Amino acid sequence: MIVISTTAVPDHVRGALSRWLIEPTAGLYVGTVSARVRDELWNAVAASVADGAAVCIHPADTEQGFNIRTAGERRRHVLDYDGIQLIALKSQQQQEAP
């Protein structure tokens, strides 16, 4: 199973995602697809995110049992701490810096 959350992505990306996954709420896509389809969908999302943002969570052979991918500018970012993925928040100053 994969989960993809999007914010402000183009309509053609939303259409591509909805062909393979269900959209239980706006911008949230859930489904079960092969690794190849997952990677192709994620590549399309990451290439088209522009000013928006996206997160993909999918099963992986890790201690946590899943992997997190992100695209676009977000206040939250993923840190790898000895193989464990953690979420860190950028401060307001870090966000406003050029």
Side-chain angles (χ1 to χ4, degrees):
M1 174 188 292
I2 68 167
V3 177
I4 297 178
S5 175
T6 62
T7 305
V9 296
D11 288 340
H12 73 275
V13 173
R14 296 182 70 202
L17 289 170
S18 65
R19 284 185 195 98
W20 293 93
L21 309 169
I22 63 168
E23 187 178 11
T25 189
L28 181 68
Y29 300 88
V30 180
T32 303
V33 295
S34 68
R36 181 177 179 183
V37 171
R38 177 196 68 218
D39 291 342
E40 290 297 323
L41 286 172
W42 182 249
N43 289 340
V45 170
S48 302
V49 78
D51 292 332
V55 175
C56 176
I57 301 172
H58 62 87
D61 190 22
T62 65
E63 193 68 32
Q64 290 171 300
F66 60 87
N67 192 19
I68 303 171
R69 298 180 187 183
T70 62
E73 282 298 313
R74 309 183 61 82
R75 182 166 182 219
R76 299 171 191 264
H77 60 279
V78 179
L79 296 176
D80 187 298
Y81 187 75
D82 288 336
I84 303 291
Q85 291 184 312
L86 303 173
I87 304 298
L89 294 174
K90 292 180 184 176
S91 70
Q92 289 291 86
Q93 293 171 339
Q94 286 175 319
Q95 272 192 298
E96 294 171 1

